[in-house]
């Protein structure tokens, strides 16, 4: 009963916080257009046959129609407030997004350098990315040149009935600046106050009409070179952190047994390490806690691995349109991008290697001590920073082209469209520096040749054809380059994804009711998707000791039909000035999982002049993606403690992973309700409640988690454990599965105010605020429900802050502009699910950014603009253990200068 009494109070309190803050300050983006905004965007309100009306939350294109689904619009100018390496990083500043997959959070996995969209922290797979209403072959914002984007629409609620699978958390629709006329060039340089994270950007676009104005062409592109931050230890509170058994977030932590140059773990020499000349020494072991060491000589991958992945990329795009007749337009676009770079990844280290006493590289005094102790071997563990610390070489290429016809008839009462798009995504990964198991074992076992008196591999004594090169492991820098080349190899994967998508639609107003015209949209769409991963010979043979790629291939398709209707019910009556009903439905027939329906019911009403309410209820879906369906079965061995047999301790257990073609689509139930208002000229505000509940969540669970939750009573998970007749675990399947239930709810709030101050220069003061308050974010596996609101220090788990808000205040005129932005993150936890961490708490954070620009007229409509900006103005350090943070700034104060010229 107590929980029920508090939750409404918290809901109202959160909404009150957002409203009160909004009244005294401002947002970075607006969900509703001011009168000035509307004057600047006639293309959005022109019922032309070209299909220029885009209501991202709906397929209805009637002028003036407002979807019941909340919509947030971001202009190009707002994306350029402070320098960001790509469009995704700019969007991640907004409260509705989480940078769960970014150059900071993914520097330890093969997706590093990507930046997909992730709305509300529900995962990038549940946020649909569109370009002019069409799907991209790869949902990576790096692949779109920012300069070609006019604005971004963000639907912050389910939109599967309108756009299909993946639109569970919402939709991000990038609008191309297809009507740009003239030439714009720009260049920018940026650097942190510590002299790293350098970024250089060059961009440009050109637009012109042709064929006496019947056609228009826009072409643009950008090049970005961002060097990232080289090591995770290069900032305060990042790198060499550990939870140390869930007792405290602890700094300066590394391995307790693996040492640079080698550490002896057994026998008479136990506890000794090697100097660079191969002699023995007593190392400084600091404070040892299990397999970890605090201080001392403890090495860590964080000493070498990058904190922020470098980004070197270019992207280009062209879009052309041509009026075939007065009512029929042909348009086409082509986009190409490439991301390429190389950086230190992670090490292939060695544990408990057996070193024989006659090893060719052991010093004689060491052999003598072993002989005196009648010891024929010892165990060696080694941090292989000088031997096998792998780089990751990435080369991603993306090409996609589309062609479309848009027309109208019956005096524009009916509009139709048809399109086809083909895209290919090439993802080539090479990781030189991983140990080849067999070669390494042969090279380690070396002896002095009785023939030459030189070190040789023992195997070479019995096999003269052997190419084995003996390796010296005793001391930092001891391995020769020839030995390194012999014992290491390059895992490699070349993935090709293809997408063919097509569709037709018909929109119009078939008849009128007393309250206004009825609008409908019907259509059919389809997608064919395929994937193929080719791997190297050594990967296929599982020849590497710690990591290798797996090959896979597969294809699937979906055919869809959709319909939507808007019915005006009441018009021009008290409190019901414009009441409209909206309904949408979509049937999706998947080749692997059959037919599934998504739908939406909604209504909007103008209660008072400028005060509009909206409510929507929807069923949304997400079908499994290619990797979840087709990734090949993987095999590994993991130490597992079986609750049924604890006496056996930790047992190495066979684990099967990979994709599953039997996955069923996720289903989500979404409620949104809100109000928008424009009570005075230049002032707009909105408040929206959201509630999203997802079931049959596609996920993976760790093998130990499966075993523990089975023992706790989750019988579904027991089915993934294979036991022998005696009851011992033989294997565990930890592949993709439908299991969890995920749910979140909260409030979005926004206020914007524009006040003219100098008519002669078109001066105006802009005040804006946008914020999100999250009431709950839970994951339920059928047995345990875990609350993640406030978990905000670590990207590799669920979680979102309770409150995030952006506020900006600025002045702009025809020649000068300046602004200050504040980014607020409420207090929370590194991980609230770990109650035993004594220093788990994170205080509230506020970052400040500033920007100034000055335009210099050059005559004939040309102008030159200088600008500069500083993000994280006060150089605020991130919280403890921010190595993979999705919310906090690890760069520090960041400065940029640039210039643009427009003709």
């Amino acid at each position: 009963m107590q929980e029920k009494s508090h939750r409404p109070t918290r809901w109202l309190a959160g909404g009150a916080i957002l409203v009160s803050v909004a009244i005294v300050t401002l947002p970075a983006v607006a969900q509703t257009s001011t009168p000035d905004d509307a004057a600047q965007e006639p293309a959005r309100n022109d019922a032309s046959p070209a299909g220029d009306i885009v209501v991202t939350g709906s397929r209805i294109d009637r002028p003036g129609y407002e979807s019941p689904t909340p919509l947030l619009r971001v202009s190009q100018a707002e994306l350029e407030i402070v320098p960001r390496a790509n469009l995704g990083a700019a969007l991640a500043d907004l409260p509705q997004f989480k940078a769960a997959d970014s150059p900071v959070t993914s520097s330890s996995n093969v997706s590093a350098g990507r930046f997909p969209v992730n709305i509300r922290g529900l995962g990038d797979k549940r946020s649909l990315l569109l370009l002019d209403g069409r799907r991209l072959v790869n949902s990576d914002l790096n692949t779109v040149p920012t300069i070609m984007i006019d604005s971004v629409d963000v639907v912050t609620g389910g939109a599967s009935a309108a756009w299909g699978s993946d639109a569970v958390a919402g939709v991000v629709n990038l609008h191309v600046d297809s009507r740009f006329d003239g030439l714009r060039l720009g260049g920018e340089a940026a650097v942190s106050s510590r002299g790293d994270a350098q970024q250089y950007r060059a961009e440009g676009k050109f637009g012109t009409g042709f064929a006496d104005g019947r056609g228009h062409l826009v072409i643009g592109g950008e090049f970005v070179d961002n060097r990232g931050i080289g090591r995770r230890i290069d900032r305060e509170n990042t790198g060499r952190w550990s939870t140390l058994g869930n007792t405290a977030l602890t700094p300066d932590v590394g391995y307790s047994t693996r040492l640079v140059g080698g550490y002896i773990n057994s026998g008479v020499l136990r506890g000794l390490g090697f100097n660079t000349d191969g002699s023995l020494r007593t190392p400084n072991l600091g404070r040892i806690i299990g397999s970890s060491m605090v201080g001392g000589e403890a090495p860590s991958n964080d000493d070498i691995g990058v904190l922020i992945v470098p980004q070197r990329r270019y992207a280009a795009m062209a879009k052309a349109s041509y009026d075939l007749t007065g009512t029929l337009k042909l348009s086409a676009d082509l986009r190409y991008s490439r991301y390429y770079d190389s950086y230190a990844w992670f090490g292939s280290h060695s544990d408990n290697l057996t070193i024989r006493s006659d090893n060719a590289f052991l010093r004689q005094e060491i052999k003598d001590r072993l002989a005196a102790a009648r010891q024929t071997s010892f165990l060696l563990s080694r941090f292989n920073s000088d031997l096998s610390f792998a780089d990751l070489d990435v080369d991603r290429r993306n090409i996609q082209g589309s062609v479309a016809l848009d027309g109208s008839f019956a005096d524009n009462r009916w509009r139709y469209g048809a399109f086809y798009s083909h895209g290919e995504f090439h993802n080539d990964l090479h990781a030189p520096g991983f140990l080849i198991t067999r070669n390494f074992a042969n090279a380690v076992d070396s002896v002095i040749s009785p023939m030459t008196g030189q070190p040789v591999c023992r195997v070479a004594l019995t096999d003269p054809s052997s190419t084995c090169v003996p390796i010296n492991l005793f001391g930092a820098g001891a391995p020769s380059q020839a030995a390194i080349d012999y014992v290491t190899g390059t895992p490699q994967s070349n993935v090709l994804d293809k997408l063919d998508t097509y569709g037709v639609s018909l929109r119009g107003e078939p008849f009128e009711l007393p309250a206004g015209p009825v609008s409908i949209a019907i259509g059919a769409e389809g997608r064919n998707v395929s994937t193929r991963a080719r791997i190297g010979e050594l990967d296929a043979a599982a020849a590497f000791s710690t990591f290798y790629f797996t090959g896979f291939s597969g294809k699937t398709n979906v055919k869809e039909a959709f319909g939507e209707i808007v019915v005006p019910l009441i018009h021009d009556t008290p409190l019901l000035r414009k009441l409209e009903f909206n309904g949408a439905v979509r049937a999706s027939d998947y080749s692997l999982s059959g037919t599934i329906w998504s739908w939406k019911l909604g209504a909007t009403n103008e209660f008072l002049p400028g005060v509009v309410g909206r409510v929507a209820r929807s069923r949304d879906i997400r079908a499994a993606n290619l990797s979840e369906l087709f990734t090949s079965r993987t095999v590994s061995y993991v130490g597992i403690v079986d609750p049924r047999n604890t006496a056996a301790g930790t047992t190495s257990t066979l684990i099967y992973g990979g994709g599953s073609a039997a996955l069923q689509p996720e289903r989500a139930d979404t409620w949104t309700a809100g109000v928008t208002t424009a009570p005075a000229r230049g002032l707009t505000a909105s408040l929206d409640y959201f509630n999203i509940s997802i079931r049959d969540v596609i996920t993976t669970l760790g093998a130990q988690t499966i075993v523990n939750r089975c023992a706790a009573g989750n019988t579904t998970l027991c089915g993934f454990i294979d036991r022998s007749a005696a009851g011992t675990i033989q294997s565990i399947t930890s592949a993709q599965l439908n299991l969890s239930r995920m749910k979140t709810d909260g409030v979005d709030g926004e206020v914007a105010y524009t006040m003219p101050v100098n008519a002669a220069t078109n001066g105006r003061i802009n005040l804006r605020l946008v914020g999100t308050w999250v009431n709950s974010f839970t994951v339920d596996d059928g047995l345990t429900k875990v609350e993640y609101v406030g978990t905000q220090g670590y990207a590799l788990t669920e979680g979102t802050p309770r409150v995030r808000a952006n506020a900006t205040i600025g002045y702009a005129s025809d020649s000068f502009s300046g602004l200050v932005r504040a980014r607020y993150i409420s207090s929370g936890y590194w991980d609230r699910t770990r109650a035993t961490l004594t220093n788990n708490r994170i205080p509230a954070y506020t970052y400040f950014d500033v920007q100034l620009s000055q335009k210099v007229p050059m005559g004939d409509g040309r102008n030159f603009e200088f600008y500069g900006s500083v993000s994280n103005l006060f150089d605020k350090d991130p919280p403890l253990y921010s190595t993979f943070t999705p919310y906090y700034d690890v760069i520090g104060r960041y400065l940029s200068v640039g210039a643009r010229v427009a003709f």
Side-chain angles (χ1 to χ4, degrees):
M1 292 298 293
Q2 186 177 14
E3 178 69 11
K4 290 183 179 180
S5 65
H6 284 327
R7 293 177 80 89
T9 303
R10 290 167 54 196
W11 189 95
L12 292 171
I17 289 171
L18 289 177
V19 173
S20 61
V21 174
I23 290 173
V24 298
T25 183
L26 57 150
V29 294
Q31 290 179 328
T32 54
S33 298
T34 66
D36 290 337
D37 295 330
Q40 295 170 6
E41 296 193 56
R44 305 282 181 222
N45 299 303
D46 175 15
S48 72
D52 289 324
I53 297 173
V54 179
V55 183
T56 301
S58 171
R59 301 304 283 264
I60 300 295
D61 62 356
R62 187 183 74 199
Y65 170 63
E66 295 185 29
S67 169
T69 306
L71 176 69
L72 180 149
R73 175 160 290 172
V74 189
S75 69
Q76 186 180 71
E78 289 159 344
L79 294 172
E80 297 172 346
I81 287 179
V82 293
R84 295 293 186 237
N86 55 27
L87 183 60
L91 290 176
D93 285 340
L94 304 180
Q96 291 83 359
F97 290 86
K98 178 181 181 179
D101 196 352
S102 72
V104 176
T105 62
S106 60
S107 62
S108 63
N109 61 47
V110 295
S111 66
R114 293 184 67 246
F115 217 127
V117 294
N118 184 344
I119 301 173
R120 306 207 185 283
L122 291 172
D124 60 88
K125 300 180 182 67
R126 299 178 186 93
S127 301
L128 179 60
L129 180 62
L130 303 173
L131 183 66
D132 279 345
R134 297 177 192 128
R135 291 174 180 259
L136 282 68
V137 65
N138 179 257
S139 295
D140 183 1
L141 288 161
N142 273 332
T143 67
V144 181
T146 306
I147 195 171
M148 288 291 289
I149 301 304
D150 174 64
S151 63
V152 180
D153 284 352
V154 182
V155 177
T156 56
S160 294
W163 298 106
S165 179
D166 305 334
V168 172
V171 175
V172 173
N173 191 8
L174 312 177
H175 296 291
V176 175
D177 190 3
S178 59
R179 293 187 174 184
F180 178 76
D181 192 24
L183 175 66
R184 176 181 171 183
L185 301 173
E188 179 183 281
V191 65
S192 79
S193 58
R194 294 162 180 80
D196 55 12
Q198 301 92 335
Q199 176 172 298
Y200 306 95
R201 176 193 293 272
E203 60 183 8
K205 66 178 174 181
F206 171 75
T208 184
F210 60 91
D212 296 325
R214 296 179 64 182
H216 199 84
L217 170 68
V218 180
I219 184 169
E222 66 183 5
F223 172 78
V224 177
D225 186 357
N226 185 299
R227 302 320 303 154
I229 296 180
R231 300 180 303 167
R232 294 174 192 151
I233 58 174
D234 286 344
R235 289 295 188 273
E236 291 292 330
N237 300 332
T238 64
R240 298 184 63 91
W241 284 80
S242 173
T243 56
L244 284 187
N246 286 333
T247 57
L249 302 178
T250 306
D252 197 18
V253 178
Y255 297 113
S256 64
T257 55
R258 300 172 180 168
L259 294 182
V260 175
Y263 179 77
I264 299 174
N265 290 326
S266 68
V268 66
L269 304 178
R270 182 186 181 93
L272 298 179
F274 287 90
N275 294 311
T276 55
D277 63 356
S279 60
L280 293 175
R281 64 185 172 83
T282 301
N284 177 5
L285 297 184
R287 180 165 61 98
I288 295 177
I289 303 174
S291 60
S292 298
M293 183 195 305
V294 181
E297 297 181 23
S300 168
N301 286 333
D302 290 354
D303 299 336
I304 305 172
V306 297
L307 177 62
I308 297 181
V309 171
Q311 297 185 58
R312 197 160 34 150
R313 60 183 178 83
Y314 56 84
M317 181 178 183
K319 184 163 186 175
S321 61
Y322 183 76
D323 292 332
L324 298 173
T325 69
T327 59
L328 181 62
K329 175 182 284 189
L330 172 67
S331 61
D333 60 70
L334 181 64
R335 180 173 49 88
Y336 179 81
S337 67
R338 184 186 180 206
Y339 168 92
Y340 56 103
D341 223 312
S342 178
Y343 47 89
W345 196 20
F346 70 90
S348 184
H349 305 302
S350 303
D351 291 316
N352 295 323
L353 291 172
T354 297
I355 305 298
R356 298 192 186 188
S357 58
D358 60 351
N359 188 283
F361 296 102
L362 280 177
R363 292 170 64 104
Q364 188 59 47
E365 64 266 26
I366 298 176
K367 293 181 178 181
D368 293 343
R369 291 181 65 178
L370 291 172
R374 296 183 179 181
Q375 186 175 328
T376 60
S377 66
F378 61 84
L379 299 180
L380 178 78
S381 292
R382 196 175 193 278
F383 186 83
N384 291 326
S385 54
D386 58 351
L387 168 62
S388 55
F389 204 101
D391 288 338
L392 184 62
D393 301 333
V394 184
D395 191 344
R396 296 191 179 101
R397 288 157 291 145
N398 194 303
I399 186 169
Q400 187 161 1
S402 303
V403 62
L405 279 172
D406 292 281
S408 67
F409 58 91
D411 294 328
N412 203 39
R413 185 175 177 180
W414 291 96
R415 284 85 59 196
Y416 60 89
F419 76 91
Y420 168 77
S421 180
H422 173 78
E424 295 187 3
F425 170 60
H426 299 258
N427 187 15
D428 298 338
L429 304 172
H430 296 73
F434 280 96
L435 292 175
I436 303 172
T437 305
R438 184 174 180 180
N439 289 12
F440 187 56
N442 288 338
V444 169
D445 190 14
S446 64
V447 295
I448 298 296
S449 170
M451 305 293 293
T452 65
Q454 298 298 314
V456 295
C457 300
R458 192 184 304 270
V459 68
L461 298 180
T462 56
D463 181 8
S465 65
S466 172
T467 60
C468 180
V469 179
I471 191 167
N472 182 357
L473 298 178
F474 312 124
S480 68
Q481 188 59 52
I484 293 173
D485 293 342
Y486 174 71
V487 303
T488 62
T490 302
Q492 50 189 300
S493 171
N494 300 294
V495 178
L496 172 62
D497 292 341
K498 292 183 179 181
L499 169 69
D500 289 278
T501 181
Y502 50 88
V504 294
S505 64
L506 176 67
R507 297 95 59 202
E509 290 74 48
F511 57 90
E512 289 200 17
L513 296 176
V518 172
S519 299
I520 66 169
I522 58 174
E525 295 176 337
R527 298 189 302 278
N528 298 320
V529 293
S530 66
T531 185
R532 184 197 66 212
R534 292 179 176 175
I535 58 175
E537 292 183 5
L538 293 175
D539 297 90
F544 298 104
S545 57
T546 55
F547 174 84
Y548 57 88
F549 291 105
T550 58
F552 56 88
S553 65
K555 61 183 179 180
T556 183
N557 65 75
V558 58
K559 298 178 178 63
E560 300 178 294
F562 66 87
E564 185 171 0
I565 187 170
V566 173
V567 181
L569 300 176
I570 302 175
H571 185 63
D572 289 337
T573 63
L575 297 181
L576 297 174
R577 296 172 54 84
K578 189 180 179 181
L579 176 62
E580 294 186 331
F581 164 81
N582 173 254
V585 66
R586 176 179 290 254
S588 304
D589 182 25
Y590 291 91
S591 59
L592 294 180
S593 55
T595 301
I596 187 169
W597 292 81
S598 52
W599 49 265
K600 179 182 71 173
L601 297 174
T604 60
N605 178 55
E606 187 177 9
F607 295 98
L608 298 169
V611 179
V612 178
R614 56 194 177 200
V615 62
R617 169 72 166 86
S618 64
R619 164 65 55 81
D620 302 290
I621 62 169
R622 182 182 84 85
N625 62 30
L626 294 174
S627 63
E628 291 167 331
L629 289 168
F630 300 122
T631 300
S632 294
R633 191 182 204 189
T634 59
V635 176
S636 61
Y637 286 86
V638 175
I640 296 296
V641 176
D642 184 1
R644 296 188 189 178
N645 187 19
T646 55
T650 302
T651 304
S652 182
T653 304
L654 177 63
I655 308 298
Y656 293 113
S660 172
L663 291 171
Q664 296 298 306
E666 298 178 349
R667 293 170 171 82
D669 295 313
T670 302
W671 278 99
T672 59
V675 62
T676 66
T677 181
R681 180 174 176 81
L683 176 63
T684 62
S686 68
L687 197 68
D688 285 281
Y689 171 74
F690 62 89
N691 186 308
I692 304 172
S693 178
I694 310 169
R695 62 180 185 271
D696 296 328
V697 172
I698 299 170
T699 187
T700 58
L701 292 178
Q704 187 65 62
T705 300
I706 291 174
V707 171
N708 291 346
R709 294 187 180 178
C710 167
N714 191 321
T715 57
T716 300
L717 292 179
C718 294
F720 296 97
I721 303 171
D722 180 28
R723 294 182 180 272
S724 68
T728 59
I729 297 177
Q730 293 181 306
S731 66
I732 300 171
T733 299
S734 182
Q736 299 285 343
L737 50 88
N738 292 103
L739 178 66
S740 304
R741 187 181 184 96
M742 188 179 292
K743 184 175 182 179
T744 185
D745 71 302
V747 177
D748 292 328
E750 180 271 329
V751 170
Y753 180 62
T754 298
M755 179 177 64
V757 294
N758 188 337
T761 61
N762 195 28
R764 56 200 180 277
I765 292 176
N766 301 303
L767 307 176
R768 294 185 172 178
L769 174 128
V770 60
T772 296
W773 175 81
V774 182
N775 174 57
S776 178
F777 188 115
T778 60
V779 176
D780 186 350
D781 69 355
L783 181 67
T784 304
K785 180 186 288 187
V786 181
E787 176 62 75
Y788 286 102
V789 167
T791 292
Q792 56 203 55
Y794 197 53
L796 308 183
T797 186
E798 311 293 347
T800 181
R802 178 76 68 186
V803 177
R804 289 181 71 198
N806 285 359
T808 61
I809 180 170
Y811 170 81
S813 68
D814 292 337
S815 59
F816 172 80
S817 67
L819 62 83
V820 177
R821 177 174 71 173
R823 293 176 281 138
Y824 173 79
I825 306 169
S826 63
S827 62
Y829 304 89
W830 187 81
D831 185 349
R832 71 175 291 177
T833 67
R834 304 191 188 192
T836 58
L837 293 175
T838 58
N839 55 348
N840 198 11
R841 190 78 180 179
I842 297 176
Y845 264 66
T846 302
Y847 294 104
F848 291 91
D849 311 316
V850 297
Q851 184 189 61
L852 298 172
S853 71
Q854 177 69 52
K855 290 182 179 179
V856 180
M858 299 172 61
D860 299 327
R862 297 176 296 170
N863 62 74
F864 196 88
E865 180 184 9
F866 298 95
Y867 65 90
S869 65
V870 182
S871 62
N872 194 355
L873 178 64
F874 299 109
D875 199 22
K876 195 173 183 66
D877 288 332
L880 304 182
Y881 201 165
S882 290
T883 309
F884 300 105
T885 176
Y887 295 112
Y888 299 98
D889 184 354
V890 299
I891 298 178
R893 185 182 297 115
Y894 198 61
L895 306 93
S896 73
V897 293
R900 304 183 185 101
V901 61
F903 299 91

